[in-house]
Amino acid sequence: MGKETNPEQSTSFSPDGRYFAVLSPESTLKVWDTRSGEIVAEWKDSDSAAVYSSIACSNLAKKGKKKNVLLVALGTPTGDVLAVDALASKKIWTDSSCHSGEVVSLLFSKNGDLLYTAGADGAMSVLSSDNGEAKSKFKSSKKRINSLSISHDERFVGVASKKSRIVGLDSKTELAKIPSDGHGHLISLSDKIVVCSYGNGEIHVYNFNSGNRSIEVNTVLDMKHAPIMLECNSNMVLSVSNKGIVYVWNIEQSAGAGATSSKIKIKSERGKKKGSAMVLSAKIVELDDENKYVSVLVAYMAKDSLKFENVEIKDWGKEITIGPEGKVNKTGSDSELKEKSKKRGAPDSDSENEEIVDKARESDMEFITDEPTMAEKLASLDLAIGEKEKEKEREDIGESDRRLTASVANPPSADSVHILIKQALHADDQSLLLDCVYNKDEKVIAKSISLLTPADVIKLMKFFVLMIQSRGAIVACVIPWLRSLIHLKASSIVSHDSSLSLLNSLYQLIDARVSTFGSALKLSTCIDYHFTEIDHDEADEDAPVIIYEDKDSDEEEEASGEAMETDEEESGKDIDAPQYSDGSEVMSD
């Protein structure tokens, strides 16, 4: 099975389909038993800032033990691979030597003894499930690996990259190249065919001959929306679109491009908008010997809970709707719908018949523009904490603490910032992006960056290069985000065609900014040196203190008047006193 590295689709079936693991956006792991529909295991990393990029699940039967081990492998954006015993809720081992960048894909062997890993560094490794010991490690691509798939006999591995190829696990060498110039997003292979997706609504099917190592073009299968996962088993091909619709093809019965597929949809609940119920993942669990019958296990969201349904497909080309109560309804093909409309007295013109068919389809439309994303669906499962635990925490909080908590605004979480960034990038809203960038929490930055898709990474990189040309507070806020983006998503940036011009522009800008640093440092040092020579403690303490008093005009007039009166009195005294000619006073008797 091939699955795209998509944070909104962090799910995995066990090889036998018995268990289904879901990794929430808060990095909380829960595992369901697909038969009973009950949660059987839960685990949360002690590191609250932990972020994961890939997941795989397997049920291991240990010798000499009555109970099986439910093992879940997780990959990180930094290249670590760890294994968790979900039933025991504990981490078993961690390996940090496999990859130098993001772990994009994890797959267990059929019996669960081996774990296959693929990274953004183009490397593959085979690890022991028991202790994480590396069995082998080799370079399978010069560019980033986007998806990985193992053949059913576990002799070959399919690698989706800039140049997709088939690699032999024994020889660890390339056996054949996929004849396409497209950048492979998803890949899956069986013993007979190889299927690839290149990021659009088309799935390319190739015949694979392992004997002479040849690949030939078979057909092209059309989907209305891009796939998020692929699986092929014998001649059966299964895919889930990004709108939550399951497509199934039988290649033997589908000849030529545009072959008809059978679809599986989820009927929306009453009172809720269309698209509220959506498929998360699907898996082929049973095939007949003649490849005319297939059973598909579907995991889907309904009534804010996770449900599982086995759907049997025998009549090809029809749509199957799973009701909210688990009922399966079948809808005929387009020709059958037209025939029924004619029997009901519908007009005979082809154009009006097409309108009737469209109206019949409209009730089962598989997409709407404002439907909730898969991340929001997973979040609605309340994976981080149960309602009972929330109620208990609310009871434990005192009344004063509740008032204080209500009065203080909670800072945005990493997931809310990630969603806002995606919305801003898709709407080209720079003001909203700036609001997100003003968040300086390192954990929020790292987790938000790690959840971005390669396409969003390039868009955000272009925005940062534009903003860093500014000055002041904007640059101070952008720099931590830019540093985290380059550190966590270097492989995604380098693999894009426009990365060279972006990085070159960034280099030139940084070089121009730091070119003045040397002269500015010299000037600062010189100023500091001269200021150290001024000793303020040696100032002359005996120096006269000059005090200036500011008086208004009225006070000045009064002061001048008093001074004049004093002068007149003194002059009068001098006139009244008799004096000799030499100026001495004459003494009276």
Side-chain angles (χ1 to χ4, degrees), residues 577-588:
Q579 297 180 348
Y580 290 105
S581 58
D582 59 357
S584 61
E585 293 182 359
V586 177
M587 296 181 62
S588 62

Side-chain angles (χ1 to χ4, degrees), residues 215-331:
I215 293 181
E216 297 177 353
V217 177
N218 183 314
T219 186
V220 177
L221 308 175
D222 293 324
M223 296 176 61
K224 195 166 187 177
H225 302 94
I228 57 173
M229 65 149 289
L230 282 177
E231 180 185 5
C232 63
N233 190 334
S234 185
N235 288 328
M236 299 292 179
V237 178
L238 179 145
S239 177
V240 178
S241 73
N242 56 12
K243 298 300 180 181
I245 308 300
V246 181
Y247 293 76
V248 186
W249 295 269
N250 187 332
I251 301 303
E252 285 187 346
Q253 296 182 5
S254 302
T260 304
S261 65
S262 292
K263 297 180 183 179
I264 303 175
K265 300 179 181 179
I266 309 300
K267 186 176 181 180
S268 299
E269 304 167 44
R270 290 184 178 179
K272 293 191 176 183
K273 62 181 180 180
K274 295 178 181 179
S276 60
M278 183 169 54
V279 173
L280 295 181
S281 188
K283 181 178 178 60
I284 298 174
V285 292
E286 187 179 352
L287 281 172
D288 67 339
D289 296 335
E290 297 180 357
N291 289 330
K292 294 182 179 179
Y293 158 87
V294 63
S295 178
V296 177
L297 177 60
V298 181
Y300 64 97
M301 290 291 302
K303 297 183 179 179
D304 296 330
S305 63
L306 189 59
K307 297 182 180 296
F308 303 93
E309 187 77 26
N310 272 305
V311 180
E312 298 180 354
I313 300 177
K314 296 180 180 179
D315 300 328
W316 295 92
K318 295 186 177 182
E319 292 184 0
I320 301 174
T321 302
I322 302 177
E325 304 300 329
K327 298 178 181 179
V328 177
N329 303 317
K330 293 186 178 181
T331 305

Side-chain angles (χ1 to χ4, degrees), residues 344-357:
R344 293 173 183 173
D348 295 333
S349 64
D350 292 337
S351 60
E352 292 177 347
N353 280 333
E354 288 294 338
E355 292 179 3
I356 294 172
V357 173

Side-chain angles (χ1 to χ4, degrees), residues 199-218:
N200 52 21
E202 294 182 347
I203 297 176
H204 294 251
V205 183
Y206 307 92
N207 294 328
F208 173 53
N209 190 326
S210 59
N212 56 15
R213 302 180 179 182
S214 63
I215 293 181
E216 297 177 353
V217 177
N218 183 314

Side-chain angles (χ1 to χ4, degrees), residues 564-577 579:
M564 291 177 63
E565 291 176 1
T566 304
D567 292 343
E568 290 176 356
E569 290 176 359
E570 290 179 354
S571 62
K573 290 178 182 180
D574 293 343
I575 294 172
D576 293 340
Q579 297 180 348

Side-chain angles (χ1 to χ4, degrees), residues 536-583:
H536 298 283
D537 296 334
E538 295 180 359
D540 189 0
E541 296 180 357
D542 297 331
V545 179
I546 301 174
I547 300 176
Y548 172 76
E549 295 182 359
D550 188 14
K551 298 181 179 179
D552 55 16
S553 59
D554 295 336
E555 292 177 351
E556 290 179 355
E557 290 177 359
E558 292 177 0
S560 62
E562 292 176 358
M564 291 177 63
E565 291 176 1
T566 304
D567 292 343
E568 290 176 356
E569 290 176 359
E570 290 179 354
S571 62
K573 290 178 182 180
D574 293 343
I575 294 172
D576 293 340
Q579 297 180 348
Y580 290 105
S581 58
D582 59 357

Side-chain angles (χ1 to χ4, degrees), residues 52-91:
Y52 303 105
S53 57
S54 52
I55 182 175
C57 176
S58 181
N59 183 28
L60 283 72
K62 293 295 183 180
K63 296 180 179 179
K65 294 184 179 181
K66 295 182 180 180
K67 293 184 178 180
N68 295 344
V69 176
L70 184 56
L71 194 64
V72 178
L74 300 172
T76 69
T78 57
D80 296 337
V81 179
L82 56 98
V84 176
D85 185 345
L87 294 176
S89 189
K90 66 178 182 179
K91 189 188 300 183

Side-chain angles (χ1 to χ4, degrees), residues 104-121:
V104 299
S105 186
L106 296 171
L107 293 172
F108 278 103
S109 59
K110 285 184 178 180
N111 57 12
D113 291 341
L114 298 176
L115 175 66
Y116 301 93
T117 74
D121 55 0

